[in-house]
Amino acid sequence: MNPGYPNRSISRILKQLMLLMVLMLPAVPTTTQAAVNCELNYPASDVARLFPESDNYKISYFSFARQGGEPLLRKVEARLGSVPALYAPLNVPYTLYEIYKGGKRIGYIHGVNQKGQYGVLEVFVSLDMKGMIKAFYIQRMAGQWVNKFTLPKFGKQFVGLTLRDFELYDPVSGKGSGKVAAMTNPAPLAVTDFYGLQRAVKKNLVLMDEFVYSTQKGKQ
Amino acid sequence: MISRFQIASKNLLRKKSRTTLTLIGIMLSSWVLVSLLGFNRGYETALNRDIDNMGYQLMVMAKGCPYEAATMMLQGGAGLRYIEQTMVNSIAARPEVDKVTPILMQAFFDPDKGDGGGIAGYFGIDLATYPGMKPFFRFRQGGWFKNDTAAEAVMGYEAAELEQREVGDMIMVPEKNVPLKVVGILERTGTQDDGTIYVPLKTLQKISAIDKITTIGIKVKKDADITKLENSLYQLPDMQVVSFTQVKQTIMKLISTARMMVLSIAIIALLIAMIGVVNTILMSVMERIQEIGILKTMGAMPIDIFFLVWTETLILCSVGGIAGIGLAIVFARLSDILVRRILPYSPGGELVAIDIRLALLTLAVILGVGLLSGIYPAWKAGRVRPLDSIRSEG
Amino acid sequence: MTTDNGVSLEARGLTRVYCRGSEKINAIDGVSLTIRRGDFVSFTGPSGSGKTTLVNLLGCLENPSSGELDLAGRSIFGGGKILGEKALTRIRRDTFGYIFQNFYLIPTLTVRENVALPLAFYKKPGVDGEVDRLLGMLGMNHRMHHLPGQISGGEMQRVAIARALVNRPDILLADEPTGNLDTKRAREIGEVLTDLNRSAGLTIVMVTHNPDMARLGGRLIEMRDGQAFESG
């Protein structure tokens, strides 16, 4: 009798099981359908336009599923003051463009999807290392008033604002004070889209605060 | 007293972990085997049912016109050709035809969609006839349009997710800037329907300023000769006919290759499991060589020992096989989901159909192969001489 | 062919030759002996003297190279005939019970099941009730539902004895039955064997190294270089 045999037999059967699993692997359901995320259509030229002083960028991703989970999602929703959107589950990957100049990180570009009047709003902001908005960009919006919102005059109203400015104002109810409350709507018919854009930027800044700036503070 | 079956089954309990692992091996391979055999049967049945559910077995469109949304969107709608709506009535009048449904496909360029804009596909459909042709559509929210001229849309799941639309929201038809109210969102189907936006035929004709259609779906009467109808439709000038019988044959051809491959894998898995059985039984024979010798001094004939060891194989294979088949039946719906993920096209309904006949057939295969693999260890055990077991000394 | 006149086993010129390479070894070298019904014969001798080989030949566990063996007046070996495994099994199950130094109980069967084990393969007429009778006789009733791992070595050998006797053999062959037991347990097993010989008239052929055990039998045969020398 070979005393080592039972172990060999177990390992062989385990190998057999693994082989089966590998064979079955392509069949394993991707239980969560890839959710729609928000990315720049032309990152190279978009980054150069939104962050003219940059010479390089890196892409990274964050999501509630990977960090913070359900509790963090609830916290963010509470900070935004409304119910979650139908299509914003835990596994939406958020794309973060980290902006560099001479090897040093000088800021970020980050976009979010927001429900608009006739379709989705894809709204990006570029931010410096302290979380102040440097540029505002609408990548996608539907409706005959789109060109009014994409005018530089409208976008400039966001430049220089920080999360503090948005905390003084509730873009869901339209109540509050400060610079955000003072913004003018260039298309009075497009109320949903006007508030949608403000809400998109607030959501953007809250997400950046939770996933990027607060972790940076933690590291310091 | 004690039966030979009890002796055999108690022997298997000696090395519990080894027996368990062998059982798991047999169980998994019989699970895979019965599921695949079930799939072999179920898929074709489901595909047939699906094609019947399609409502229309034939589609007629102008020559060169794309007949499904994906091609239309790839071509940016450039290849669309129109047919007169009067054609619907002339086809409907044919004796073989049960029902017809007119369809208008339109592609609009949306400059804000994706990289450098994209094509949004719209299907103008007849509220009275089309839903009956797609009975497998399930609504996640809402339902079909209020009437055939309503400024309303029903969205496929992915189209709705991309635009973050819910029932009650508005969408804007690109290029035309016409607002439509979303009244229904379909469940995910895993097909191109997910990316399609359905609009009442008349509404889409109005938006596109066209009074024609692109496609006619034809449901043939039961027992009618489809081939004859097909041939007569081919006679129509500048028309092309797409038959789902052909589509089905193409799909079955595609699937058969995959099916053969998976079946080979199942057979390999079964063989591996059986090598496990040979190994387990042979090891247990080697470990018990002295006991087997003693059984022979007690009066056990070689054939008795052969059957004793063979019974062990039989127990392992039947327990493992029955457990595997049981699991396959319990998890048949899970297998359905898995199969759906890997196949290029999956019809609705049960893909893995396991009935009692198939279960028994699989069990017979497992037992047959198992007993064959049990012959060698059993023969080896039968040949043990009593003296081999007794310490040679003196 | 001899007639049965109370003779249980009769060997004439039994020889067993083994080949080791080109060398031939006479493990048993022309042994002749007679064992009568009710004898208790002990075989002793140094290792390699051939005692176990002789008992294996007497017990029909293998064929001799030459010589003759009669069993209860019936010729078994002789005239150069070689018996196959099936024929040997038939003879063994009708005539012999065997016990060994290493008990060889099946660990997953209870004491009672182990004793009943031979009946699963062969059952002589009239042995119903033997299992319980033997367990009672050998004082193992209270242990019948225990597994072999739960009883002592001496008890295991008692179970092996009961198993060997369940088909009522004419002769009990015991190969070093106390080799794995301490003195006290060995003495107990010795008493059991003596009792079986005296009260039940069982013929016992035993191989032993133990001088005390060897003296239990009425006859003592010493093996030296494949030859048997009976003392007394």
Side-chain angles (χ1 to χ4, degrees), chain B residues 107-127:
Chain B
F108 298 106
F109 180 73
D110 180 352
D112 298 318
K113 184 179 182 179
D115 291 353
I119 299 296
Y122 282 72
F123 263 49
I125 55 168
D126 178 27
L127 186 58

Side-chain angles (χ1 to χ4, degrees), chain B residues 344-360:
Chain B
Y345 173 78
S346 317
E350 279 185 18
L351 288 189
V352 179
I354 304 167
D355 60 8
I356 187 77
R357 241 188 75 220
L358 187 67
L360 289 176

Side-chain angles (χ1 to χ4, degrees), chain B residues 182-200:
Chain B
V182 178
V183 292
I185 292 170
L186 295 170
E187 282 288 1
R188 204 185 277 280
T189 62
T191 66
Q192 51 179 322
D193 293 328
D194 290 347
T196 308
I197 300 171
Y198 298 91
V199 178

Side-chain angles (χ1 to χ4, degrees), chain A residues 9-21 23-24, chain B residues 16-34 265-280 313 315-325 327 362 366 369-370 373:
Chain A
S9 140
I10 287 169
S11 76
R12 197 190 42 67
I13 291 165
L14 283 179
K15 269 183 211 155
Q16 190 177 315
L17 283 177
M18 275 164 65
L19 176 73
L20 267 177
M21 279 171 191
L23 292 176
M24 309 263 301
Chain B
K16 288 198 183 71
S17 54
R18 187 168 68 194
T19 303
T20 311
L21 285 171
T22 312
L23 277 177
I24 291 174
I26 301 170
M27 192 180 75
L28 286 180
S29 49
S30 46
W31 182 357
V32 172
L33 187 68
V34 75
I265 293 170
I267 290 168
I268 292 169
L270 182 70
L271 288 179
I272 294 174
M274 289 312 156
I275 292 169
V277 172
V278 176
N279 176 60
T280 299
T313 319
I315 295 172
L316 273 181
C317 292
S318 8
V319 172
I322 290 170
I325 292 166
L327 278 179
T362 312
I366 302 271
V369 180
S373 28

Side-chain angles (χ1 to χ4, degrees), chain A:
Chain A
M1 149 167 175
N2 179 352
Y5 203 94
N7 283 337
R8 282 224 310 265
S9 140
I10 287 169
S11 76
R12 197 190 42 67
I13 291 165
L14 283 179
K15 269 183 211 155
Q16 190 177 315
L17 283 177
M18 275 164 65
L19 176 73
L20 267 177
M21 279 171 191
V22 169
L23 292 176
M24 309 263 301
L25 202 62
V28 171
T30 40
T31 45
T32 47
Q33 292 280 338
V36 182
N37 66 352
C38 187
E39 291 187 324
L40 288 167
N41 288 342
Y42 305 100
S45 56
D46 288 338
V47 167
R49 186 165 48 82
L50 294 170
F51 238 116
E53 62 269 44
S54 69
D55 57 18
N56 195 11
Y57 70 93
K58 267 191 214 162
I59 296 177
S60 62
Y61 299 90
F62 60 85
S63 71
F64 287 102
R66 277 211 310 225
Q67 203 179 322
E70 187 87 35
L72 185 59
L73 179 63
R74 289 192 191 290
K75 185 182 166 197
V76 168
E77 279 159 10
R79 287 180 73 176
L80 289 168
S82 70
V83 291
L86 181 67
Y87 301 105
L90 279 169
N91 62 333
V92 173
Y94 292 95
T95 311
L96 179 67
Y97 299 86
E98 297 174 6
I99 310 300
Y100 291 87
K101 185 190 179 185
K104 191 177 173 243
R105 190 159 60 193
I106 55 168
Y108 303 97
I109 298 175
H110 179 234
V112 295
N113 286 329
Q114 175 66 41
K115 185 172 171 171
Q117 200 156 331
Y118 288 118
V120 70
L121 303 171
E122 288 180 9
V123 185
F124 287 82
V125 290
S126 58
L127 298 157
D128 67 11
M129 293 303 288
K130 288 187 177 143
M132 192 185 78
I133 298 174
K134 293 172 60 68
F136 169 87
Y137 167 52
I138 301 171
Q139 180 166 267
R140 183 154 186 208
M141 188 178 193
Q144 64 272 41
W145 45 67
V146 173
N147 49 16
K148 293 192 175 161
F149 285 101
T150 50
L151 283 175
K153 199 174 104 188
F154 177 72
K156 267 188 189 144
Q157 297 183 90
F158 288 91
V159 175
L161 301 186
T162 64
L163 181 57
R164 280 187 67 83
D165 297 303
F166 281 87
E167 279 167 345
L168 299 170
Y169 177 76
D170 177 10
V172 178
S173 64
K175 285 176 186 159
S177 59
K179 289 177 187 166
V180 184
M183 280 185 189
T184 51
N185 180 356
L189 280 175
V191 185
T192 312
D193 282 345
F194 175 65
Y195 288 131
L197 291 170
Q198 289 180 329
R199 189 175 137 78
V201 175
K202 184 170 181 180
K203 183 162 111 187
N204 195 327
L205 296 177
V206 170
L207 288 171
M208 286 297 288
D209 185 44
E210 290 291 348
F211 284 101
V212 182
Y213 293 113
S214 63
T215 54
Q216 277 175 1
K217 271 179 216 154
K219 278 182 195 164
Q220 280 162 9

Side-chain angles (χ1 to χ4, degrees), chain C residues 6 13 56 71 86 88 163 221 227:
Chain C
N56 288 345
L71 206 58
K86 277 188 200 166
L88 288 174
R163 185 179 64 182
I221 295 177
Q227 293 186 324

